[in-house]
Amino acid sequence: MSTGGIPILMYHAVAPHPNEATHDLSVSPEAFAEQMEVVRALGCTPLTTSQLAWHWRQPGRPLPTRPVLITFDDGYEGVHRHALPALARHGFSSTLFVATGWLPGKYDTGGGLDTMLGWDQVRELAAADTEIGGHSHTHPQLDQLSDDALWFELVRCREILADELGTPPVSFAYPYGYSSRRVRRAVRGAGFSQSLAVGNGLARRCQGPYALRRVTVRRSTRIGEFEQLLLGRSIARSFARDRVLSKGYAIVRRARQARRKAARPRV
């Protein structure tokens, strides 16, 4: 593993037959189970997001051997049905980032892309060594929102998770991986202690607690490539196309935001 860098794996749906909207960012249950076998075989130690933050904030508290984070975004039902048994088989910790308005029930805004977790399943995951973090309420591009709308997304998500689980979440993941200095300040102000982006690179302490990078695991990730991700190798080559697209779209988003600001009526 590269010195100082920690692989934070980003999963979404775990399903044998995902729908079109989630297909590319899904993995099959068989692939996920095989990947967890590789995690075990390499002697990796899965941590939750808050555990990693604790180690990095405590001088003199060394990280365990080959640390890795297993994270899930959005809140798809397959995380409970398919991922949890594989995690439990090895005693692995993980982190689930929930878009609270996508889950069925009294908070449902109708945005869920596939079959989503029920709140009882979220509580079962929490009881099985899965940290539950925030992922906004309706899963928007946070850097494109007004200050008021951004604050609502963060606070509403945190309040719902606190009400449902009995304790407020301390970790957050940006929907689509998009953030900005303003968004990161708001996430901190809303009470989250750390947050994950995407970036498709290893997480390093120097990135700061609100911009930690992750690597994407998707349907097309083969087992040899997955092993290289865990070892911190070939990441730049594996995600070269993603980075070019991300940089281009970042320019587009900034231009859109500037146009919206310019169009706001002056008081």
Side-chain angles (χ1 to χ4, degrees):
M1 187 177 297
S2 298
T3 302
I6 295 175
I8 302 181
L9 308 174
M10 182 181 70
Y11 290 94
H12 288 79
V14 181
H17 305 292
N19 64 12
E20 185 177 356
T22 61
H23 181 273
D24 290 351
L25 286 178
S26 71
V27 297
S28 70
E30 294 78 13
F32 183 80
E34 185 178 15
Q35 289 163 3
M36 294 304 101
E37 290 287 351
V38 173
V39 172
R40 179 198 58 78
L42 290 178
C44 297
T45 304
L47 302 173
T48 65
T49 303
S50 60
Q51 286 172 341
L52 174 63
W54 182 87
H55 277 283
W56 272 349
R57 288 185 173 116
Q58 301 294 322
R61 296 284 185 174
L63 285 162
T65 303
R66 290 192 182 274
V68 62
L69 274 65
I70 302 165
T71 71
F72 303 91
D73 281 10
D74 301 343
Y76 297 103
E77 192 269 346
V79 175
H80 181 276
R81 181 185 298 270
H82 302 296
L84 179 57
L87 293 168
R89 190 176 305 125
H90 301 293
F92 287 168
S93 300
S94 64
T95 306
L96 167 68
F97 295 103
V98 175
T100 49
W102 280 17
L103 273 56
K106 58 184 176 180
Y107 316 109
D108 192 355
T109 62
L113 298 180
D114 206 336
T115 304
M116 309 303 292
L117 291 162
W119 284 105
D120 285 344
Q121 292 174 313
V122 174
R123 281 186 281 271
E124 289 176 13
L125 284 159
D129 210 16
T130 296
E131 178 188 357
I132 309 300
H135 198 44
S136 80
H137 185 51
T138 66
H139 203 280
Q141 297 179 24
L142 295 178
D143 60 342
Q144 301 297 300
L145 300 182
S146 68
D147 290 345
D148 288 345
L150 170 61
W151 189 249
F152 169 80
E153 287 288 337
L154 301 175
V155 172
R156 183 62 173 148
C157 173
R158 194 164 189 268
E159 289 175 345
I160 290 172
L161 288 173
D163 288 344
E164 290 292 333
L165 303 177
T167 184
V170 296
S171 302
F172 188 83
Y174 305 110
Y176 308 103
Y178 302 151
S179 71
S180 65
R181 187 176 299 175
R182 178 179 68 99
V183 171
R184 292 189 287 273
R185 283 199 304 264
V187 168
R188 180 175 182 176
F192 295 98
S193 300
Q194 53 272 332
S195 190
L196 305 184
V198 182
N200 285 315
L202 296 177
R204 301 179 188 277
R205 190 173 182 177
C206 62
Q207 293 162 3
Y210 294 95
L212 295 175
R213 293 182 178 181
R214 293 188 284 176
V215 290
T216 307
V217 185
R218 57 190 68 170
R219 204 88 179 174
S220 60
T221 303
R222 302 306 177 199
I223 198 64
E225 181 184 358
F226 179 81
E227 181 173 347
Q228 292 301 302
L229 295 181
L230 285 178
L231 295 172
R233 301 171 183 166
S234 304
I235 291 178
R237 182 170 66 250
S238 296
F239 295 104
R241 182 173 180 273
D242 299 73
R243 289 180 176 178
V244 171
L245 293 174
S246 295
K247 287 180 180 178
Y249 196 41
I251 295 172
V252 172
R253 293 199 322 274
R254 285 196 294 269
R256 288 175 180 171
Q257 188 174 30
R259 286 196 296 270
R260 277 197 291 271
K261 287 183 177 179
R264 291 175 189 167
R266 296 184 179 181
V267 179

